[in-house]
Amino acid sequence: DAGVIQSPRHEVTEMGQEVTLRCKPISGHNSLFWYRQTMMRGLELLIYFNNNVPIDDSGMPEDRFSAKMPNASFSTLKIQPSEPRDSAVYFCASSHTDSGYEQYFGPGTRLTVT
Amino acid sequence: AQRVTQPEKLLSVFKGAPVELKCNYSYSGSPELFWYVQYSRQRLQLLLRHISRESIKGFTADLNKGETSFHLKKPFAQEEDSAMYYCALSRNTGFQKLVFGTGTRLLVSP
């Protein structure tokens, strides 16, 4: 298994543009998490899904952010419109209920909004 | 509310010196505590969890409920220990939501 796959690895966009980040969790995992990492705030949980259903989106900064998980093997995080303060590394992680609390992280997407 | 505090952004030590990365938490229930590590150019990965009471790569961490702490320790640091370390907390029931601290960068110099 290649682990959690994220695309793109790097994204540079201009303020106001729509950005879509993609994640493919590990096959068989039933929970998926989106995190944002910044120097000032560290790792922040944005939203997580269990069995494709959003469970807690209280970490989503504002309405400009949205996330979907149409099936067990794919999720997207969308920012529309993007702003410079959204610049960060966005991580996706997945886990399985039976594996305890170990989350497996993807390589991250480094987003730069100019 | 659950909160994890890592007071040091950077910890710099020499090879062979003891290391202690501090982690304090606040949670009214009975928590599960974890340490995750991110080596340069690698993915964030689980280092150890308090319930397993293991020593991984020479690191240990003891949950002190009285002091609400879960400090990570190693008696003799190695250069390959240089990485970003995150302490994380979860409830021991329900969904597996993790709350992370802001992280401590450990730099071990030769």
Side-chain angles (χ1 to χ4, degrees):
Chain A
D1 197 327
V4 175
I5 298 172
Q6 290 187 248
S7 65
R9 295 292 307 276
H10 302 273
E11 177 79 35
V12 181
T13 191
E14 292 183 347
M15 182 174 64
Q17 297 297 307
E18 177 181 295
V19 175
T20 299
L21 311 181
R22 297 173 176 79
C23 175
K24 182 181 188 311
I26 292 174
S27 177
H29 282 188
N30 59 357
S31 291
L32 183 140
F33 308 81
W34 280 102
Y35 292 91
R36 179 171 64 177
Q37 183 186 47
T38 60
M39 288 290 290
M40 291 301 297
R41 301 169 70 97
L43 266 173
E44 301 174 277
L45 178 65
L46 300 177
I47 184 171
Y48 74 99
F49 298 83
N50 185 261
N51 294 325
N52 311 338
V53 176
I55 302 300
D56 183 350
D57 65 354
S58 60
M60 295 286 262
E62 48 198 273
D63 292 344
R64 298 184 297 106
F65 285 70
S66 63
K68 294 182 180 179
M69 191 165 187
N71 57 61
S73 59
F74 183 66
S75 177
T76 59
L77 177 68
K78 185 177 292 187
I79 307 173
Q80 165 63 21
S82 58
E83 297 183 1
R85 60 190 168 125
D86 301 330
S87 297
V89 180
Y90 291 81
F91 288 101
C92 176
S94 70
S95 70
H96 192 282
T97 308
D98 293 344
S99 68
Y101 299 91
E102 181 167 4
Q103 295 184 12
Y104 293 80
F105 282 76
T109 295
R110 182 174 295 277
L111 173 64
T112 302
V113 183
T114 60
Chain B
Q2 304 158 41
R3 182 173 295 172
V4 177
T5 302
Q6 293 180 251
E8 304 143 326
K9 282 194 177 296
L10 172 66
L11 184 61
S12 186
V13 302
F14 287 106
K15 177 182 173 182
V19 169
E20 182 179 66
L21 289 86
K22 291 184 169 49
C23 172
N24 289 89
Y25 67 90
S26 62
Y27 178 53
S28 57
S30 182
E32 299 284 357
L33 273 297
F34 310 83
W35 277 98
Y36 276 74
V37 62
Q38 187 175 25
Y39 300 102
S40 178
R41 298 188 183 87
Q42 293 188 29
R43 303 180 183 209
L44 191 64
Q45 58 188 287
L46 178 67
L47 179 63
L48 56 80
R49 65 188 80 183
H50 92 271
I51 55 173
S52 61
R53 303 183 69 81
E54 298 174 297
S55 173
I56 305 294
K57 299 184 178 183
F59 284 98
T60 59
D62 291 319
L63 179 60
N64 185 323
K65 292 186 177 181
E67 296 182 358
T68 60
S69 67
F70 187 57
H71 303 327
L72 184 67
K73 301 178 183 179
K74 184 170 183 176
F76 306 104
Q78 302 299 315
E79 290 181 65
E80 54 265 30
D81 296 329
S82 296
M84 193 75 177
Y85 292 81
Y86 289 94
C87 182
L89 174 154
S90 177
R91 300 177 305 175
N92 64 358
T93 58
F95 291 112
Q96 305 153 338
K97 174 179 174 177
L98 286 174
V99 176
F100 284 87
T102 51
T104 297
R105 180 167 298 281
L106 175 64
L107 181 61
V108 182
S109 303

